[in-house]
Every structure is written in C-alpha cells, then in structure tokens.
Amino acid sequence: MTTQYLDLFSRLVEGSDGGKREFLEIGRLAGKFPAASVSAGTDAGSISVWCSNDYLGMGQHPAVLQAMKTAVDKYGAGSGGSRNIGGTNHYHVLLEKELAALHGKDDALLFTSGYTANDGALSVIAGRMEGCLVFSDALNHASIIDGLRHSGAQKRIFRHNDTAHLEELLAAADPDAPKLVVAESVYSMNGDIAPLAELADLAKRYGAMTYLDEVHAVGMYGPEGAGIAAREGLAEEFTVIMGTLAKGYGTTGGYIAGPTEVIEAVRMFARSFIFTTALPPAVAAGALAAVRHLRSAEDERERLWKSASLMHQLLKERCIPFISDLTHIVSVLVRDEALCKHMSARLLDDHGIYVQAINAPSVRVGEEILRVAPGAVHSAEEVRGFVDALDRVWEESGAARVPEAAQG
C-alpha cells in the first residue's frame, strides 16, 4: 500500500471530533464482578467496573454458566453455519419461542447482535412497504439509522421525545402512505424514557406501524423483565419489539418479536440474518437460561434499582449534574471532552474505578458524559465509595456543580 493511502487514513483519525479511541483491556472476574483484572500497561491493578452493560450480572449467574457449559459439551463451540444452512440448533428455536412468549407476540427471530437485528429488521420492514414514510426519534441508535438508510425509505426525524413535533410530521404526510414510527424505550446515553403512551396513540390515529427498541430495558423493567412497554401496559400497542441478549441477559445477540407475517418477511429478506453464521448453541443456551430466570425472579431487578436510586440521591446531594433519574443509566454531565477524559483517567489511576468517558460521535460535541451504570452487582457501600471518589475528582478538576433542585 502506498504512503499516500496510509497518510489519508492517518489524517482521518487525527481530524476526528472525538480523537483516537483507546481501549482498556479488562478481565471481568466471574463470581467477583464488578471486580476485574487489567492487562499490563496500566498502574490500576485490580479495578471496579462501573460502565458495564451487564446491568444485572447475568453474565456470571450460575444458571447461565452451567447452561453454556452443558451446551458446549454437547454441541461444541460454534453453530457450524448460517441459520439457513446447517446452523439452526434446538436452543435457537427454544429461545425464539421464549422471547415471543415474554413479549406476548406471535413469533421472534434471533440475530447475532442487537445492531444486526435493527439493521436487518428495519431494512426489510421499512424497505419492503412501497412508499413507506418512517418517523424516527432524533436520538435513535446508529443501528436504527443504518437500518433505515439501507431500507431506502423516506425518513422524517422528530425532535427527541417531542410528540408534538411527531404529530406535525404525521399530519403533513400523505394519509395513504404506509407509515412506521421508530423509537427506543430507554435511551442509552441520556438514560431517559420515551413517552410511549403518546407515541402509541399518535401511531394509532395516523395509521402507522410501530417499532420499539427495548435494548436497555429488557430483563430490567416490566413484568418478567419484558420492558418499559410491558410495564406501562402498552406492549400490544407496538407492532414489533426489538431487544438484546447482551445487556440485561448478560450474553450476546439480538432479536425482534412481533406478528408472524412480519417475522417471516424479515427471516426471508434480512441480509444481516441470512448471510451470517448463527449464534453458537452455547450462547443461545445461556441466553435462554437468563431469560427464564429473569421471568421468574425479581431479586436482580430490585438490587439494580436500589443501586441506581442511591446513586441518584448521592449525586444530587453533592450537586454533581446528571441527565435523568428515570432509569439505571446515570449520565454524569461533564460537557467537555478533555475534562471528561481526565476525570475518567483520574478515577481509574487514583481510585481503581473504571468509567468510560463518552465523547463524540457517541454524544454531540459539548454533551460529553461519564456514563455510569450502577448495577445489581454493586453494593450500597460500593455505590457510596464510587460517589465519594467521583466527588473528589470533580472537586480537584474544578468542574461546575448544579443545585440539587435542578438535578435529574
């Protein structure tokens, strides 16, 4: 490769808004998490992880680990092929049935990740309805954006959680055109919740189909962990529910659940489903164990919310700003890229606490955050210790504070 091409990519990295991305190598210690080991090259030694998406600690739950070990011993490491060509295992079928039942839908379909689920499903749902108009929240995830782009459908972007703006766009649209409203229930960077009742009502009034991404809610909210829509008694109002197995369920993979007709169409035409190797049977077995456990137990959800609520309270008392107190995602608002990275480094190096600084393009420039995820695995004592450490770093950094009344 000639130097001119290498120089091009070097300038691309140097000129990016968020700067070069660096990754901390950690080894999450099963049975001891949130404790983790770190690789050579850092002075942190053993650390405590506060930014994991394994919110409920299901990635180390004994039932999940045993299910995976049993499946590996029986079926080996991989699936051996795509779902269409030799890659469908009985655990895939069982898991899809379990997820459909969880959401009260006719059928479900597994993907290798939440990203490929959104990309594949939306490319078909929006792309195969001729003349479809899609109404998408401005803060929807990159996987939703890519799925809609790949669909080729016309898009109308409504301001984040602004149902008045959504109604303006719906009212101005061709009444005879097929319509699809796409939103998330819990937004991963803000930690806020969509106005689901209003979204469902508008979709019904204007004859729109609905697609709800519950990635940061499944397992953690609602009856049996079925999500925010189920918690609000609105699951039937959303045509398709999309979720992940990589967060509340502690493994990996994504899925959609909905009417048989929609699921069959996605199964037939979604390129990200057809042209990829299926999830390993052991992963599907572990996810199945996690879903079944969380459908019958409340302990993990209760511990998650106790940790989050305590952190909300303590941050308010210290006047440390964060975006929302509605969910378990605590987005500490720094608003400065360099300062955000500095705080993350100080927490790690001085206190053995790992919280990732979130900069552009994951958030807009000027909205940089420390994305904290107090989980079911964190004790009250650990939450208090975390806030004490953050308070010291906040003070040493000279960061602005916000009156308690203005928080959340």
Side-chain angles (χ1 to χ4, degrees):
M1 184 178 289
T2 63
T3 302
Q4 71 185 77
Y5 295 122
L6 298 179
D7 288 343
L8 186 153
F9 286 105
S10 179
R11 290 195 301 271
L12 180 66
V13 171
E14 293 299 326
S16 65
D17 289 337
K20 183 179 179 181
R21 294 205 170 198
E22 298 178 354
F23 302 97
L24 178 69
E25 284 187 47
I26 69 171
R28 302 194 315 142
L29 301 175
K32 298 180 180 179
F33 186 72
S37 62
V38 293
S39 66
T42 176
D43 296 328
S46 179
I47 61 170
S48 180
V49 179
W50 288 83
C51 53
S52 173
N53 285 337
D54 187 3
Y55 301 125
L56 299 175
M58 294 305 295
Q60 61 180 347
H61 193 281
V64 174
L65 299 183
Q66 186 56 56
M68 296 186 75
K69 291 172 184 175
T70 300
V72 164
D73 288 343
K74 188 171 184 179
Y75 297 114
S79 65
S82 69
R83 290 291 298 276
N84 290 333
I85 307 176
T88 295
N89 181 274
H90 189 49
Y91 279 121
H92 298 125
V93 177
L94 289 176
L95 181 54
E96 286 172 340
K97 289 181 178 178
E98 193 77 26
L99 291 167
L102 171 68
H103 294 292
K105 301 297 184 185
D106 296 338
D107 206 351
L109 186 65
L110 286 174
F111 287 78
T112 53
S113 71
Y115 197 104
T116 57
N118 272 335
D119 189 8
L122 287 168
S123 68
V124 173
I125 294 170
R128 295 281 172 160
M129 292 193 292
E130 186 175 352
C132 180
L133 290 174
V134 182
F135 301 84
S136 182
D137 189 285
L139 293 190
N140 277 342
H141 191 264
S143 57
I144 293 175
I145 295 170
D146 283 354
L148 295 178
R149 181 182 294 127
H150 292 154
S151 77
Q154 295 185 55
K155 298 186 292 294
R156 304 288 186 269
I157 308 301
F158 61 93
R159 292 185 292 270
H160 178 54
N161 282 351
D162 189 336
T163 52
H165 188 215
L166 173 59
E167 183 165 19
E168 287 178 22
L169 297 175
L170 286 165
D174 179 353
D176 297 323
K179 300 175 185 65
L180 175 66
V181 175
V182 183
E184 301 179 39
S185 60
V186 175
Y187 284 86
S188 63
M189 290 299 127
N190 288 6
D192 58 349
I193 294 176
L196 297 188
E198 292 90 338
L199 292 177
D201 179 64
L202 286 172
K204 184 179 294 185
R205 279 198 276 145
Y206 287 92
M209 189 175 171
T210 47
Y211 183 102
L212 183 64
D213 179 323
E214 292 250 41
V215 159
H216 291 275
V218 290
M220 294 164 287
Y221 297 91
E224 301 182 354
I228 299 292
R231 186 186 74 177
E232 303 302 319
L234 296 168
E236 291 185 1
E237 303 297 323
F238 290 90
T239 317
V240 176
I241 300 288
M242 177 268 170
T244 187
L245 305 167
K247 295 176 174 59
Y249 297 120
T251 56
T252 193
Y255 66 90
I256 59 169
T260 297
E261 297 85 350
V262 176
I263 301 301
E264 283 293 342
V266 174
R267 185 183 283 118
M268 286 183 64
F269 297 111
R271 294 167 68 87
S272 66
F273 174 79
I274 298 168
F275 297 105
T276 193
T277 301
L279 285 173
V283 172
L288 178 63
V291 174
R292 285 176 171 171
H293 173 80
L294 290 172
R295 291 190 72 186
S296 62
E298 291 293 332
D299 182 59
E300 285 84 5
R301 283 189 284 276
E302 290 174 357
R303 285 191 280 117
L304 172 71
W305 191 243
K306 284 180 180 178
S307 292
S309 297
L310 177 58
M311 184 168 288
H312 296 152
Q313 173 195 330
L314 295 174
L315 290 175
K316 288 178 181 179
E317 290 174 359
R318 309 294 179 92
C319 298
I320 296 174
F322 62 99
I323 296 175
S324 173
D325 61 3
L326 296 177
T327 68
H328 62 284
I329 298 171
V330 184
S331 300
V332 176
L333 198 53
V334 180
R335 295 186 185 277
D336 181 277
E337 177 189 334
L339 184 58
C340 202
K341 290 181 176 180
H342 171 78
M343 288 184 174
S344 175
R346 292 278 59 76
L347 285 168
L348 182 64
D349 294 340
D350 298 345
H351 302 281
I353 288 172
Y354 175 43
V355 177
Q356 186 63 43
I358 306 296
N359 302 316
S362 299
V363 295
R364 296 187 179 100
V365 174
E367 297 179 6
E368 292 80 6
I369 59 172
L370 293 172
R371 184 184 180 278
V372 189
V377 294
H378 296 107
S379 68
E381 181 181 0
E382 288 171 327
V383 173
R384 293 182 186 280
F386 171 87
V387 174
D388 285 343
L390 178 61
D391 186 57
R392 286 195 289 273
V393 169
W394 203 268
E395 187 66 26
E396 292 164 2
S397 302
R401 299 185 186 256
V402 174
E404 182 176 342
Q407 292 279 43

